[in-house]
Amino acid sequence: MTAEQRPLSLTLDERGQASLDGTWEFFPGDHDRADLDHLQPESISVPGLWEAQGHLALDGYAWYRLRFIPGDPAGWWTLRFAAVMDTAEVYLNGRLLGGHLQPFTPFELPAGQALVAGLNVLDVRVHDPSVDDPEHIRSAHGKQGWANQVFPSRPSLYLTYGGIWQSVTLRRHGRVVSRDAFLNGDADNLVATVEVVNLSGEPADAIVSLRTLGLARTDRIRLLPEERRTLTWQLGRTPAARWSPDDPVLHEALIDVEADGLLADRSRVRYGLRTVRIDGTRLLVNGRPYRMKSVLVQGFTAEELYAEGPRATIEAEVRAAQAMGFTMLRLHIKAFDPTYVDVCDELGMLVHSDLPIAEPIAHEELGDGTELSRRCAEAVGQQVRRDRNHPSIVLWSAMNELGLDREGVRGWDVYEQFARTIYQAVVTADDTRPVIENDWVEPDPDRVFCSPVLTAHWYGRLHADYLDTLDRKAAQVRDVGRPLFVTELGDWGLPEMPLLQDAPFWDARAGYAAGLATTLWPSSMARFVHETQRYQGLSDRMQIEVLRQHDHIGGYCLTELTDVPREFNGLLDLHRRPKPAAVQEIVRVNQPVLPMLRLDSLVVVAGQVISAPLHVANDGPALPDVTVELRFGGTAAVTAERQVVGELPADTVTSAGTISVRAPEVPGTHDLLLTLRTNGGVLAENRYPVHVVGEPVARHPIQVAGAGANAESLARALSGVGAEVGTNGPTFVAEGTLDADLGEELSRRVGAGETVVVLAQTMESGAHYPVPVELAAVETAWGSSVFHFTTDHGGLPSLPRRNLLVAEESTVQARNVIVRVGGEPFPDEPVVIAYKPLPGSITGTVVGLHRVAAGRLLLCQYRLAARAAGGDPAARALLADLVQWAAAPRPPTDSERVTKDDGRALTYYSFPATS
């Protein structure tokens, strides 16, 4: 017998409980239980998922075995599993004790009749259905197996997991026990309920008592054989301290059960006194409004995979979220280890707790009374009953994005039946908190049947069009009669990407590093990573600012706190290391009092006056005598503009008119500082990175090719930067107008040595360029960002060289990029490169120059004309750059080069000087 197979000698604690955690025998595969005696086991740790212990490819069945010696086996014993993923069948000394069908919640089995003196053998048959197993989609599985068509099970986190992943205990007690004690937490009307169970086959007389907060209640009851009964005690009003995020006071209730003249059972319940309700658009805790400032947590760790880390790791994670100004965590689509919620209770972090119903699911089995609905209702009931004493939990989500994988399913009658059934299962278990029915991607009041809350998952990026769309969407739900919580949003920033030997299966950094190496990025990988984090932070912040400007939006949840494999939208990486530039922006936007500008663009013309609407969000008490100051940092010659705001009402957003300031005369990036003061002191500060460009002027003759409104818009835009539109000079092809006939004409022109500038075209137009061109769409997938950066080439002096672009192009980004030119991945002189990491990686050119025959072909996929014609500074500056570049003398061909006597060719063409 190996050391791992030696029997465990149990020692009972003061509650009569012993831990069975430790090293167990492990038999992958489905075997007859009797055959386990003849098989050679492996060793495995309990608790723990088997994937985290080397069994990544194992789906289906496996057996666990533990040999133990309990001491005196007399009396009543209960075997408790805190959670087994996904289903369990439990045998003690060959006798079937029972099973469980839920992967996240605890279950207890009577063990006394099977327990013997001396050696006992505990066998557990665990089933982890594969993603293709019909049982998988009939279960409340969380995100196991989610979106595997995009994120294959390996190397993403969305495996189907298996194992005894939470603790196992054996407890000795009397024949009558208490279970499922609940205190409703209302200090004005405290109510306690306790379930009492007679485990024996004989009637039992019992005395059940509860003590808490100096209050005591006792009931004498007679229980029939194997009867369960719920006792309810009205404890009334108590002056005891309430739990709040600012003062997370916790209390304890002691429940004793006496039977047969002896103490049969004792349990303790920790709880807090606080109330939660929805009032208008706000969540109220103890009557105080809380705007949701939440961040999503997936509960994935590098070591434990789909299981939370040790308590110290959890504490550090929650404190990190608090340090960033978050007041709530969304624990996403599973029942987290109770330790996680314990930590939130103790640290005063509010919790939005998801329940584990999500895609993929058996859509044809939706409805009421099906096996699917029975299992799902059971799952949410068990989780809610397990966690409802935690005061930090203030919101449940019954389902997440159910219906996303099957178009039209939300219109089915059986979907409504299912939604109502699951919602009722939550409310039956706990009617003290609001419930989100189906955490859905768009507000849809006609398909939300029971919940007082609407949700939206509005993912986007740093672009004026998206921010305007987000603003319109937010405004459209102003009068729907229910609060809207934007429960998912966010952008991406890459983590540090050192090249590792023996990297774990989920580590995608080597692939990202290899991808970046092919992009012509002109600096170090570390710099690229830092710049993506700067982009992420600003993008997240600008999106949140739009939401904070709408007082009727009940709050937001940023996706997410930590990276997970293949998804890099975390503020911390997978190892809980911060992304500093992103964290800095989130700390800023989460300030309780936040002044905000609604800027049309983050690019301005030097010396011009900037005017923008001013909003101030105040998520605290009223503030008197508030003034605001607007100035550019580091420019002493620019005078600050001050404006009186007056009193800021409590817990609301104030529109404070328009404020103006003059831009610096020096081109480059400057911080625009917005400072809020009261009583002479600084109350809050916000800042915007504003890119200042010189006056866009390009006085050169230009020809416009193409027809229709786009050509007319381009002509107006070119005239607006001083170009002389006529029949001479380089040819500019209007956006979206390139066809076969125009392509032939352009080929003739470049063949004659002319310069042609082709502005943004559709993917279908690639065949019509003067040289074969392939384009690809750059819409984001699953939040993965498209990063743009400049090379060493200086064709666009209004943009910084050798840098990732953040604010400088936030109004003009391209919908398509050029991924091949003349059979090559890049043109001769690429200037702006697009790099979209996995999933769906793309590397292409946004702006570049390619030599065709004797001429030059300038390629630009930025959408400039309409915005430039409308006065957008970024579009005007880039259009003027293109005119200057196109009008510059073309480089000579080899036959035209002038050679000095020493044999050196004279170069008389260069890019314009950069600012």
Side-chain angles (χ1 to χ4, degrees):
M1 183 177 292
T2 66
E4 290 78 12
Q5 294 172 303
R6 293 194 182 108
L8 176 68
S9 294
L10 303 187
T11 301
L12 303 184
D13 63 15
E14 68 278 2
R15 288 195 61 216
Q17 181 171 288
S19 172
L20 301 186
D21 294 349
T23 301
W24 290 44
E25 297 171 27
F26 185 61
F27 304 85
D30 197 16
H31 310 281
D32 288 337
R33 191 192 57 78
D35 292 340
L36 300 185
D37 293 335
H38 311 294
L39 297 175
Q40 182 62 40
E42 302 178 36
S43 296
I44 198 164
S45 293
V46 172
L49 297 164
W50 65 52
E51 288 82 2
Q53 301 180 66
H55 297 275
L56 282 170
L58 177 59
D59 284 329
Y61 291 92
W63 284 87
Y64 285 73
R65 169 169 282 182
L66 179 71
R67 306 167 193 269
F68 67 92
I69 299 172
D72 182 2
W76 298 87
W77 296 79
T78 294
L79 184 63
R80 185 181 193 275
F81 291 82
V84 176
M85 187 93 64
D86 281 358
T87 70
E89 196 174 277
V90 181
Y91 298 81
L92 182 57
N93 297 322
R95 180 170 181 168
L96 177 63
L97 300 185
H100 193 242
L101 296 176
Q102 304 297 341
F104 297 105
T105 47
F107 62 99
E108 295 184 342
L109 300 170
Q113 291 184 348
L115 204 65
V116 299
L119 182 66
N120 287 258
V121 179
L122 175 62
D123 293 322
V124 184
R125 182 176 182 244
V126 177
H127 185 207
D128 163 30
S130 70
V131 72
D132 299 320
D133 188 328
E135 289 302 295
H136 175 67
I137 59 174
R138 291 192 184 103
S139 68
H141 52 65
K143 291 188 82 169
Q144 294 183 79
W146 177 77
N148 274 198
Q149 72 279 13
V150 177
F151 294 103
S153 284
R154 288 173 294 275
S156 80
L157 76 91
Y158 304 116
L159 313 182
T160 51
Y161 293 92
I164 304 175
W165 71 289
Q166 292 186 23
S167 289
V168 185
T169 54
L170 184 64
R171 186 167 70 91
R172 185 176 184 176
H173 48 75
R175 65 181 178 127
V176 181
V177 296
S178 66
R179 290 177 179 163
D180 195 25
F182 173 52
L183 290 97
N184 70 346
D186 187 349
D188 293 326
N189 184 27
L190 187 61
V191 178
T193 59
V194 178
E195 183 184 68
V196 185
V197 183
N198 177 10
L199 299 173
S200 73
E202 302 293 332
D205 293 314
I207 302 172
V208 186
S209 62
L210 177 142
R211 288 172 284 162
T212 187
L213 305 176
L215 304 170
R217 296 291 187 273
T218 299
D219 274 1
R220 296 176 179 271
I221 59 175
R222 183 172 180 82
L223 296 170
L224 297 176
E226 300 181 352
E227 180 185 357
R228 295 171 177 266
R229 187 183 304 178
T230 298
L231 305 179
T232 300
W233 289 300
Q234 301 287 337
L235 302 177
R237 184 179 180 85
T238 173
R242 296 191 177 199
W243 184 97
S244 72
D246 298 326
D247 189 18
V249 178
L250 295 165
H251 305 290
E252 187 175 82
L254 179 67
I255 300 104
D256 284 341
V257 179
E258 295 181 37
D260 304 320
L262 300 172
L263 180 64
D265 192 23
R266 168 170 286 176
S267 60
R268 288 178 169 81
V269 175
R270 195 170 72 163
Y271 68 99
L273 294 171
R274 60 102 189 89
T275 56
V276 185
R277 63 184 177 91
I278 296 289
D279 183 33
T281 62
R282 288 291 194 275
L283 183 76
L284 271 60
V285 179
N286 295 327
R288 176 185 170 186
Y290 275 87
R291 184 190 291 267
M292 176 190 287
K293 294 179 186 173
S294 180
V295 63
L296 186 144
V297 180
Q298 298 243 36
F300 184 95
T301 62
E303 293 76 22
E304 292 85 6
L305 304 186
Y306 199 44
E308 299 75 45
R311 184 183 180 93
T313 299
I314 295 170
E315 287 184 1
E317 188 170 295
V318 175
R319 290 186 188 277
Q322 288 179 317
M324 289 183 244
F326 291 108
T327 58
M328 182 182 290
L329 300 180
R330 181 181 179 191
L331 304 187
H332 196 42
I333 320 186
K334 66 174 184 175
F336 278 56
D337 187 310
T339 302
Y340 206 110
V341 196
D342 284 340
V343 170
C344 292
D345 288 344
E346 295 161 14
L347 297 183
M349 175 62 83
L350 300 176
V351 170
H352 167 191
S353 181
D354 285 4
L355 304 171
I357 302 176
E359 299 283 0
I361 201 166
H363 301 104
E364 283 73 16
E365 299 180 30
L366 294 172
D368 185 24
T370 66
E371 177 66 13
L372 172 67
S373 67
R374 185 192 66 77
R375 288 190 188 183
C376 289
E378 179 184 80
V380 300
Q382 288 180 7
Q383 182 177 338
V384 171
R385 285 191 295 273
R386 187 198 75 170
D387 290 344
R388 60 187 177 175
N389 281 305
H390 290 284
S392 58
I393 297 177
V394 295
L395 184 64
W396 303 109
S397 277
M399 304 180 287
N400 184 77
E401 294 184 352
L402 193 78
L404 197 64
D405 288 1
R406 183 73 172 270
E407 186 175 354
V409 71
R410 283 167 52 83
W412 297 359
D413 289 344
V414 289
Y415 168 82
E416 178 179 347
Q417 294 168 7
F418 185 79
R420 290 181 180 277
T421 295
I422 301 306
Y423 182 89
Q424 189 58 49
V426 180
V427 173
T428 297
D430 175 25
D431 63 358
T432 70
R433 299 168 173 88
V435 180
I436 293 170
E437 186 176 302
N438 183 8
D439 215 312
W440 189 241
V441 295
E442 293 288 348
D444 190 3
D446 292 339
R447 302 306 293 171
V448 177
F449 309 104
C450 306
S451 175
V453 178
L454 302 178
T455 64
H457 299 173
W458 284 338
Y459 285 101
R461 56 190 325 241
L462 183 60
H463 186 261
D465 286 350
Y466 174 73
L467 295 177
D468 289 342
T469 300
L470 181 60
D471 189 52
R472 288 194 299 272
K473 283 183 168 183
Q476 288 169 0
V477 295
R478 183 180 301 277
D479 299 317
V480 295
R482 284 183 266 189
L484 173 71
F485 297 151
V486 181
T487 45
E488 293 186 29
L489 79 157
D491 213 325
W492 280 36
L494 298 179
E496 293 181 11
M497 295 196 295
L499 297 178
L500 303 176
Q501 292 184 343
D502 301 322
F505 77 93
W506 43 257
D507 194 296
R509 289 176 293 183
Y512 278 71
L516 183 59
T518 68
T519 65
L520 307 183
W521 167 248
S523 187
S524 68
M525 183 184 299
R527 176 132 185 270
F528 187 83
V529 166
H530 173 269
E531 291 299 303
T532 68
Q533 294 174 8
R534 184 169 68 94
Y535 166 85
Q536 175 190 6
L538 187 63
S539 179
D540 287 349
R541 185 191 121 206
M542 296 298 286
Q543 293 174 56
I544 291 172
E545 282 197 17
V546 171
L547 301 177
R548 290 199 71 178
Q549 290 168 19
H550 288 273
D551 195 47
H552 64 280
I553 301 293
Y556 51 87
C557 177
L558 186 69
T559 307
E560 56 196 302
L561 182 58
T562 69
D563 287 345
V564 297
R566 293 297 188 95
E567 296 177 64
F568 296 119
N569 47 8
L571 298 169
L572 313 175
D573 71 13
L574 186 55
H575 300 281
R576 277 54 181 173
R577 295 174 299 220
K579 300 176 181 176
V583 168
Q584 180 181 14
E585 296 291 352
I586 295 305
V587 170
R588 182 172 291 127
V589 80
N590 279 339
Q591 293 177 92
V593 182
L594 180 68
M596 298 169 285
L597 297 176
R598 189 70 172 96
L599 293 165
D600 293 328
S601 174
L602 293 172
V603 179
V604 300
V605 176
Q608 291 192 354
V609 173
I610 307 167
S611 295
L614 171 66
H615 302 269
V616 183
N618 178 20
D619 292 334
L623 297 165
D625 302 325
V626 174
T627 60
V628 66
E629 176 185 87
L630 183 63
R631 66 181 179 86
F632 278 94
T635 53
V638 178
T639 303
E641 298 294 330
R642 293 179 177 83
Q643 189 163 305
V644 175
V645 176
E647 180 176 339
L648 285 181
D651 301 304
T652 191
V653 179
T654 299
S655 297
T658 300
I659 190 167
S660 303
V661 70
R662 188 174 296 277
E665 299 287 350
V666 180
T669 298
H670 303 261
D671 274 349
L672 180 59
L673 305 178
L674 185 61
T675 305
L676 212 62
R677 302 179 188 274
T678 182
N679 297 324
V682 174
L683 182 62
E685 183 185 85
N686 203 351
R687 58 181 60 205
Y688 299 85
V690 173
H691 187 60
V692 178
V693 297
E695 179 64 38
V697 177
R699 304 188 188 284
H700 297 281
I702 295 294
Q703 303 178 68
V704 171
N710 285 0
E712 295 172 2
S713 178
L714 175 59
R716 289 195 304 273
L718 288 166
S719 298
V721 297
E724 302 162 12
V725 180
T727 58
N728 296 310
T731 300
F732 273 65
V733 180
E735 296 166 10
T737 62
L738 182 58
D739 57 18
D741 292 339
L742 182 53
E744 290 183 7
E745 174 61 19
L746 298 181
S747 295
R748 185 192 64 76
R749 293 191 183 192
V750 294
E754 296 183 25
T755 296
V756 171
V757 182
V758 182
L759 297 182
Q761 304 298 323
T762 64
M763 286 191 292
E764 295 74 20
S765 64
H768 307 312
Y769 281 74
V771 62
V773 166
E774 181 182 343
L775 295 98
V778 293
E779 294 296 326
T780 60
W782 310 105
S784 174
S785 292
V786 183
F787 300 115
H788 292 175
F789 64 84
T790 52
T791 65
D792 286 321
H793 293 281
L796 301 177
S798 63
L799 295 180
R801 283 199 204 181
R802 298 174 58 88
N803 208 359
L804 191 124
L805 301 175
V806 177
E808 299 88 353
E809 52 153 24
S810 58
T811 57
V812 296
Q813 287 179 340
R815 289 195 177 99
N816 307 308
V817 296
I818 298 165
V819 294
R820 296 192 75 78
V821 181
E824 298 297 325
F826 298 104
D828 294 333
E829 296 173 2
V831 178
V832 179
I833 300 293
Y835 172 49
K836 179 184 179 299
L838 296 168
S841 61
I842 295 174
T843 299
T845 304
V846 181
V847 180
L849 178 146
H850 199 71
R851 294 176 181 83
V852 181
R856 295 184 298 157
L857 178 66
L858 269 66
L859 308 163
C860 176
Q861 281 298 115
Y862 282 129
R863 292 165 288 139
L864 301 178
R867 287 193 175 275
D872 179 79
R876 294 182 67 234
L878 288 168
L879 192 61
D881 286 347
L882 290 172
V883 172
Q884 296 279 18
W885 189 6
R890 68 172 176 81
T893 63
D894 290 341
S895 61
E896 295 173 331
R897 287 185 182 276
V898 178
T899 305
K900 297 183 70 172
D901 292 340
D902 61 4
R904 290 178 298 154
L906 291 178
T907 300
Y908 53 88
Y909 168 78
S910 63
F911 290 113
T914 60
S915 57

